[in-house]
Amino acid sequence: MTSPQNTLVVATILLLFLSFSKLSLTTFVSIDCGSYESTIDTNNITWIGDDAYIQFGESHQIPSAPSIFNTLRAFPYGNESCYSIEVENGEKVLTRATFFYGNYDNKSSPPIFDLHFDGNFWASVNTSMASSEYNLDYEAIYATKGNTTNICVTQKMPNHIPFITSLEVRSLNSTMYSQLEPNHSLILLGRYAFGADKSIRYPDDAYDRIWKTVSGDGLISRVKSDALNINISTVVDNPPQAAMNNAVTTPDKDHQILYHLFIPHKEVPLYINTYFSEVTKDAAGARSIEIHVDSNPVYGPIAPPFGSVEEVYIKKSLSQDTSLAFVARPDSTLPPILNAIEVYQIQPLAIANATDT
Ligand SMILES: *[C@@H]1O[C@H](CO)[C@@H](O)[C@H](O)[C@H]1NC(C)=O
Ligand SMILES: *[C@@H]1O[C@H](CO)[C@@H](O)[C@H](O)[C@H]1NC(C)=O
Ligand SMILES: *[C@@H]1O[C@H](CO)[C@@H](O)[C@H](O)[C@H]1NC(C)=O
Ligand SMILES: *[C@@H]1O[C@H](CO)[C@@H](O)[C@H](O)[C@H]1NC(C)=O
Ligand SMILES: *[C@@H]1O[C@H](CO)[C@@H](O)[C@H](O)[C@H]1NC(C)=O
Ligand SMILES: *[C@@H]1O[C@H](CO)[C@@H](O)[C@H](O)[C@H]1NC(C)=O
Ligand SMILES: *[C@@H]1O[C@H](CO)[C@@H](O)[C@H](O)[C@H]1NC(C)=O
Ligand SMILES: *[C@@H]1O[C@H](CO)[C@@H](O)[C@H](O)[C@H]1NC(C)=O
Ligand SMILES: *[C@@H]1O[C@H](CO)[C@@H](O)[C@H](O)[C@H]1NC(C)=O
């Protein structure tokens, strides 16, 4: 009964079905708010307009700004305005919202308003902080509570009209950020690739985390890894290889790498990931590092492996006055190195379900 032709047709449909169901497991949505067009940027990220996501608000243009930042959607007529994005129920996602005022309304009055996800307060957005740069961005990591995630901007003060420039949602592997409890979210405070020439994101980072560059004081120097390949699969959070290729170090083992936490004065619960990858083959075993919080050792010894990565997390309540230092242990013959860091504030999720309008 079954001719070979039929078998082929069945097989083709099955393959198509498989490839679609695989795609639907991976959320990678990039919305260029206020735009009606689709664009592909230099990172090969496809940005789509927002007309399929939202039926109200006003689209505005800032012709002088670069693509993505040259359109926005403002919400002058409602208190809360939400984007609802399809996700897998219960998946761990990274959501990023950006804001660039650019004097779109000719009022020279950058507004302040609130940002929420799934009914949780996320941030108070002060758009005057982005006057000189385009990257006023907010990032949160959390598990979804339904088949959509809702991102909302809310007016808090008279004449402060909320708006949004772009919105991105990316799936993470459920094994990542394993110390995050389901009733909490992570709010990004900083993610840096030390010694990198430029910021790193997709496609170098499959999850499109943005690893920014940072310059240290005169004593901190950049070092490049001699390893041709760095196996990032040795650690759960899959840092991009591009962020492991470089590190910072100090002139000698008596100098430590001091990391300044850009966090509030009062203590906040933090989730810090640190990444170490040895830069020279001969140094493997000769370098031994300890992490100190306020001069007290909290983790060590760390012997960075050559050609792969060691990751250390710290979950602790810290304040701006806390010092976080990477120190050579007495038995180390080499100064400390540090390749990358991620700093998140741990925030409890609202108990009630999201009530979005
Ligand atoms: C851009 O993405 C497309 C499909 O997502 C892929 O086929 C292509 O190879 C990518 N190009 C580059 C330069 O990465
Ligand atoms: C905005 O919120 C205020 C206070 O909650 C309420 O009085 C007002 O009706 C709301 N406006 C709109 C347009 O929803
Ligand atoms: C702002 O001013 C520019 C130049 O005068 C004008 O083209 C634009 O329509 C104005 N925008 C608004 C929202 O008033
Ligand atoms: C908003 O940011 C500006 C510029 O940094 C600052 O002067 C102002 O105090 C901030 N406003 C609030 C309410 O934080
Ligand atoms: C999402 O969930 C709601 C409520 O459980 C359901 O009504 C809706 O059909 C679902 N949507 C999709 C696209 O699965
Ligand atoms: C998630 O991470 C685990 C452990 O690294 C790996 O085995 C698995 O293939 C990953 N899944 C996806 C979808 O990347
Ligand atoms: C990378 O590390 C993983 C986990 O240790 C290991 O299973 C894998 O074989 C390594 N890959 C290479 C290319 O060495
Ligand atoms: C979150 O869950 C943990 C157990 O998984 C519990 O100890 C903690 O009290 C919960 N926190 C909140 C804010 O609900
Ligand atoms: C939250 O939503 C879930 C399913 O959508 C429901 O079972 C639960 O009762 C809700 N909880 C509250 C506090 O409304």
Side-chain angles (χ1 to χ4, degrees):
M1 288 277 291
T2 317
S3 71
Q5 217 174 354
N6 277 344
T7 314
L8 191 64
V9 169
V10 169
T12 310
I13 290 168
L14 190 64
L15 276 179
L16 278 176
F17 175 74
L18 282 177
S19 62
F20 276 116
S21 63
K22 195 178 167 206
L23 274 180
S24 71
L25 281 171
T26 309
T27 308
F28 199 103
V29 177
S30 312
I31 302 173
D32 183 3
C33 304
S35 172
Y36 300 99
E37 291 168 351
S38 179
T39 49
I40 297 177
D41 72 11
T42 53
N43 295 306
N44 206 18
I45 295 169
T46 301
W47 293 86
I48 51 174
D50 64 351
D51 40 339
Y53 287 90
I54 203 146
Q55 279 71 49
F56 50 98
E58 289 175 352
S59 166
H60 287 275
Q61 296 191 354
I62 307 156
S64 59
S67 178
I68 312 308
F69 298 101
N70 60 4
T71 58
L72 58 81
R73 186 171 291 273
F75 303 98
Y77 306 119
N79 289 349
E80 186 165 68
S81 307
C82 299
Y83 284 76
S84 183
I85 295 160
E86 264 186 55
V87 290
E88 289 286 315
N89 190 356
E91 75 168 326
K92 215 176 259 178
V93 292
L94 176 155
T95 297
R96 181 163 48 229
T98 70
F99 303 90
F100 177 62
Y101 171 60
N103 199 24
Y104 78 86
D105 55 1
N106 295 339
K107 289 180 179 157
S108 299
S109 176
I112 294 171
F113 50 85
D114 280 356
L115 176 63
H116 294 251
F117 68 87
D118 293 347
N120 298 280
F121 174 79
W122 181 353
S124 173
V125 179
N126 178 353
T127 59
S128 59
M129 287 161 65
S131 53
S132 58
E133 300 180 347
Y134 294 113
N135 58 354
L136 183 64
D137 53 11
Y138 295 85
E139 239 188 72
I141 291 174
Y142 52 93
T144 59
K145 289 242 162 60
N147 51 15
T148 59
T149 186
N150 295 304
I151 315 303
C152 310
V153 288
T154 315
Q155 184 166 354
K156 295 305 278 185
M157 291 185 273
N159 303 321
H160 285 250
I161 306 299
F163 72 86
I164 183 164
T165 302
S166 72
L167 182 59
E168 297 155 82
V169 182
R170 279 84 172 89
S171 296
L172 297 175
N173 190 329
S174 61
T175 57
M176 292 166 71
Y177 304 100
S178 58
Q179 301 304 311
L180 171 63
E181 290 177 37
N183 55 4
H184 287 98
S185 62
L186 299 178
I187 307 298
L188 183 70
L189 299 178
R191 185 188 295 115
Y192 297 102
F194 295 109
D197 307 324
K198 58 178 177 64
S199 76
I200 294 159
R201 64 180 299 178
Y202 183 86
D204 290 320
D205 187 318
Y207 306 94
D208 198 21
R209 290 165 293 188
I210 297 177
W211 304 74
K212 294 182 177 169
T213 58
V214 65
S215 52
D217 71 20
L219 288 179
I220 294 283
S221 56
R222 296 171 46 171
V223 278
K224 197 172 161 28
S225 177
D226 296 338
L228 295 176
N229 271 301
I230 298 174
N231 187 351
I232 56 164
S233 307
T234 55
V235 294
V236 286
D237 291 323
N238 294 314
Q241 208 184 117
M244 300 296 110
N245 277 334
N246 298 283
V248 285
T249 189
T250 60
D252 56 56
K253 55 172 289 193
D254 297 329
H255 284 89
Q256 53 193 28
I257 300 169
L258 203 60
Y259 183 77
H260 179 75
L261 293 163
F262 293 95
I263 57 175
H265 274 295
K266 69 171 172 62
E267 272 200 355
V268 288
L270 298 183
Y271 185 150
I272 302 174
N273 273 344
T274 56
Y275 300 90
F276 304 87
S277 180
E278 185 49 73
V279 289
T280 51
K281 198 169 187 175
D282 296 343
R287 205 189 299 275
S288 182
I289 305 166
E290 219 165 58
I291 302 177
H292 289 193
V293 170
D294 289 335
S295 307
N296 299 313
V298 295
Y299 194 91
I302 301 158
F306 182 75
S308 65
V309 184
E310 180 163 344
E311 174 180 354
V312 173
Y313 76 85
I314 301 162
K315 235 175 131 179
K316 219 171 172 15
S317 284
L318 301 175
S319 75
Q320 203 182 59
D321 306 320
T322 312
S323 76
L324 182 65
F326 301 85
V327 182
R329 281 166 55 85
D331 60 339
S332 181
T333 55
L334 293 166
I337 59 164
L338 176 63
N339 301 68
I341 197 167
E342 294 178 90
V343 183
Y344 298 94
Q345 182 169 339
I346 302 170
Q347 189 171 284
L349 291 174
I351 293 136
N353 286 341
T355 48
D356 298 316
T357 50

